[in-house]
Amino acid sequence: MTDAYTRFIRSTPGGLLAKQLGLPRPSRLLRREDRPEPVLGPVVVLGASAGADRIAHLLLDQGADVRRRFDELRSVGSVVLVADELEAPADLGSLVLPLAGAMRTLAPGARVVTISRPASTEEASRAAARGGVEGFLRSLAHEMRGGATANGILVRDGVELDAPAVLGALRFFLSSRSAFVTGQFLTVSSTDGSASENATLPLAGRTALVTGAARGIGAAIARTLAADGAQLVVLDVPGAGTELSRLANELRAVPIQLDVTSAGAGERLVAFLRERGLSLDAVVLNAGITRDKLLANMTADRWDPVLAVNITSQIALTDALLEAGDVLGEQVRVVSLASTSGIAGNRGQTNYAASKAGVMAFVDALAARLAPLGGTANAVAPGFIETEMTAKIPALTREVARRANSLQQGGLPVDVAEAISFLASTEAGGIRGETLRVCGQNMVGR
Ligand code: NAD
């Protein structure tokens, strides 16, 4: 799904005109069907610590073409900067400057990933150095060209770099699955989680529920999770029953028609799962609506449904699933849909932003509740994604929103789905209460 402006710019006259006028020239993003390999190589691992050696070996074990220097490489697929032992801001230069000379050798769609420690430490110089990695990475992401991305992994002190979620996050960021994720950090806070037994079908043997699955991002999530091996339960309102049945047939999924805001929806879902002997390993809370208006024109019939669908239903559903005690698997992963509007706010979206900021706080609290059960909860915050929801935005506002990110284009539903598939995997067990933005480094918020 390419927008009309991008199609024009990619034509010869359009490209020339854009160059002359300095207009945005979005690059074609490479996705799973273009670059299916698990790691975009060759990968250059920079850093002199024992952790850098460990990461290089882990990537070698994955079958990646790993180097420790740029040498004469003409085209570099990925660069990993391992900065786990920084003590002072002055340590940063020797780590990042080798990349400066190699920037022009980065291949289209290349990946840069930093692995460092969170800045929250009492030693001031160390904290400053660690904080520096975040500023460096976010700026670098703005400088990447040709659909290339830059992201970071923050590994809590005391967690070794070979924790399952570090490797999982690294592979996600180094693959084409993170095409629309750039300028972002994921924190790994524990060694929980385990590598999937099936490298090509990481969700094999797992059952996932997707709410709001009949269309848009929800349908893409269901398709991606199914392609990764999961058995699906797909849920949507009765009014979307035809599309839901079609999707269920396509994916051999179990459909359930349910309005998530209806009284007793959670209990009905539990009864439905019990009747079929199903237990959920992943719960994707995607159903969501907008009813935009300035606060000056806001009424209860616009405010209440947005809060009810986007956040209250999520609390009720997860409460019912947890209280049932027999419909969740051991390493359950809850992934909820937030939004960049919930992070930065957005004119005309006080109701929507309240609900989505609520989602981010909710997953943090839920993660603490799930931790003793070996489970996690996280959120994904999409920026501008090309769906029926965003097609309703007035044309000029839509065009501005679509370009206001480092990749100068809207993302596709599959980009959100890829991030969710990673967070739904057993590997991601060490990531909890996080919100990962899938927004092309949208210029709003952090
Ligand atoms: P969409 O409107 O295309 O699809 C939403 C789906 O949710 C529909 O199938 C709808 O029937 C279902 N749904 C709505 N209310 C429901 C209810 N009460 N019970 C059960 N199902 C219900 O929207 P989308 O663009 O695919 O968005 C999916 C999610 O992603 C939403 O939570 C949305 O807020 C979020 N999001 C989207 C964007 C974007 O750019 N499209 C950006 C940020 C966040």
Side-chain angles (χ1 to χ4, degrees), residues 253-298:
V254 181
I256 168 169
Q257 294 186 15
L258 185 67
D259 180 336
V260 290
T261 64
S262 58
E267 290 65 31
R268 281 162 59 202
L269 174 63
V270 168
F272 179 90
L273 295 169
R274 281 185 179 145
E275 272 164 29
R276 286 157 185 80
L278 292 168
S279 166
L280 301 176
D281 303 294
V283 178
V284 183
L285 301 165
N286 164 78
I289 57 168
T290 51
R291 297 280 185 276
D292 295 358
K293 273 280 179 234
L294 295 178
L295 187 64
N297 303 320
M298 187 62 72

Side-chain angles (χ1 to χ4, degrees), residues 261 289 302-315 350-356 358:
T261 64
I289 57 168
R302 291 187 170 269
W303 180 275
D304 292 344
V306 170
L307 274 287
V309 179
N310 294 4
I311 179 61
T312 308
S313 77
Q314 298 199 0
I315 302 167
T350 51
N351 51 355
Y352 185 73
S355 72
K356 295 299 188 180

